Amino acid sequence: MIDIHIHVLPGIDDGVKSLDEAVACCRIAYADGSRILIATPHMKEGSYINELEDVRAAARELQERLDAERIGLRILPGSEVYFAPGLVEGIRERRIATLADGLRYLLLELPFQQHPVKLEETIFGLKVAGITPILAHPERIRYFQEDMDRLERMVRLGALSQLTTTSLTGGFGRKVEQLSLEMVRRRLVHFLASDAHDRRNRPPVISAAAGRLARLIGEEEARKTIESNPAAVVSGEPIDTPEPLGSEEAIAGDSMLSRLWNRLTARDRA
Ligand SMILES: [Fe+2]
């Protein structure tokens, strides 16, 4: 598995605090089945300025320590970039780190409460520049929670979407879990990632959520979100995505599929 969203570089954001803690997290990730971690420290004006060179250096340092301890994980540089003007310029000037430093995919963090002006234009501008934005955990963002059609529109514009493992397994509460299920059902999940911040409260564990996803949509489709799509991010290849379902198609109350889905999710919770 490849985790495309993890705060594992020590001391540079609200993630792990020390190199020892980073190594402990990496041991957990490795034991859970991950083999590549794309380290994604926050990049946000006014709070965490983690430019590409800093991220590269921190990733190198962690990689050296993992090699010394013979932990078979690859650490690649990336960042979780907060929505702001000038993203394309920042990437071109090699200040903003794209995922795996591949210049093709950007993990984009949106404001949690207020829908940003020019979100569509920003997504469009990135796509025109050859960069695909991956929206970090839309299930935790209020305006997508209120109206999942908004997320569908972003995906139709060319954005991809990353669901956080803890959301799907219920760790952020029932509401976020339900929204996660709705995203799955509407084919709006392209990546499943840990967004791990530490080893206890938000550990880098993917397998439990991946198991649940596999029970819902099948092993093959679930694997795309933790293996082949992340692998395409690492190699800078394009990703084939399924046609998203509209709310009517997904919610059609009395359809056979809907009943089947309800049974599946109910049984999975039991
Ligand atoms: Fe994050």
Side-chain angles (χ1 to χ4, degrees):
M1 298 189 292
I2 301 173
D3 196 347
I4 67 154
H5 186 172
I6 178 167
H7 299 264
V8 75
L9 299 180
I12 62 174
D13 68 355
D14 58 346
V16 303
K17 302 282 183 286
S18 66
L19 198 52
D20 285 343
E21 191 186 1
V23 172
C25 272
C26 287
R27 285 190 194 282
I28 294 170
Y30 185 83
D32 190 56
S34 286
R35 293 297 176 264
I36 298 176
L37 308 180
I38 305 183
T40 52
H42 289 288
M43 168 68 164
K44 182 179 180 183
E45 288 297 329
S47 0
Y48 304 109
I49 305 298
N50 289 306
E51 298 199 342
L52 176 58
E53 268 318 306
D54 311 318
V55 182
R56 274 182 177 159
R60 254 196 318 268
E61 191 185 356
L62 177 56
Q63 184 70 64
E64 280 166 15
R65 179 75 188 273
L66 295 178
D67 294 347
E69 303 218 7
R70 297 185 189 280
I71 301 169
L73 262 179
R74 248 173 98 200
I75 306 293
L76 299 174
S79 62
E80 180 179 11
V81 184
Y82 196 77
F83 183 88
L87 292 175
V88 172
E89 293 74 16
I91 293 166
R92 287 214 176 107
E93 291 161 10
R94 311 294 275 150
R95 287 185 290 104
I96 291 176
T98 52
L99 289 180
D101 196 13
L103 300 170
R104 291 291 302 272
Y105 294 94
L106 181 76
L107 184 63
L108 186 61
E109 181 181 29
L110 298 175
F112 278 88
Q113 299 295 334
Q114 192 72 41
H115 190 287
V117 260
K118 300 200 172 164
L119 176 55
E120 286 83 353
E121 288 90 332
T122 301
I123 288 175
F124 186 73
L126 285 163
K127 290 293 289 184
V128 166
I131 300 151
T132 297
I134 300 174
L135 307 182
H137 40 66
E139 76 282 3
R140 299 182 54 209
I141 292 172
R142 199 184 59 153
Y143 39 91
F144 293 136
Q145 294 176 336
E146 288 170 354
D147 183 4
M148 200 59 84
D149 289 352
R150 284 184 171 142
L151 179 62
E152 185 194 336
R153 279 201 296 279
M154 300 309 131
V155 169
R156 289 191 185 279
L157 269 176
L160 298 177
S161 131
Q162 173 258 312
L163 175 67
T164 291
T165 50
T166 317
S167 302
L168 184 60
T169 51
F172 289 117
R174 185 87 171 116
K175 178 180 157 193
V176 170
E177 183 188 355
Q178 287 301 324
L179 290 156
S180 306
L181 292 171
E182 189 184 347
M183 275 171 60
V184 172
R185 194 177 174 200
R186 290 182 64 169
R187 301 180 190 159
L188 293 169
V189 177
H190 309 103
F191 301 91
L192 184 64
S194 74
D195 194 9
H197 279 66
D198 55 53
R199 75 193 114 156
R200 288 198 182 81
N201 299 322
R202 300 178 68 182
V205 171
I206 294 179
S207 57
R212 182 165 203 205
L213 190 60
R215 289 192 293 280
L216 296 169
I217 59 172
E219 186 77 26
E220 196 183 326
E221 287 302 307
R223 292 229 149 265
K224 288 182 185 167
T225 69
I226 49 172
E227 285 181 4
S228 52
N229 290 351
V233 167
V234 170
S235 60
E237 301 294 325
I239 292 174
D240 252 350
T241 57
E243 180 77 9
L245 294 183
S247 48
E248 317 76 39
E249 296 163 272
I251 295 168
D254 58 352
S255 75
M256 199 180 78
L257 261 180
S258 172
R259 283 199 302 274
L260 183 66
W261 175 264
N262 289 338
R263 266 213 305 279
L264 262 173
T265 52
R267 193 172 59 204
D268 200 56
R269 279 195 66 75

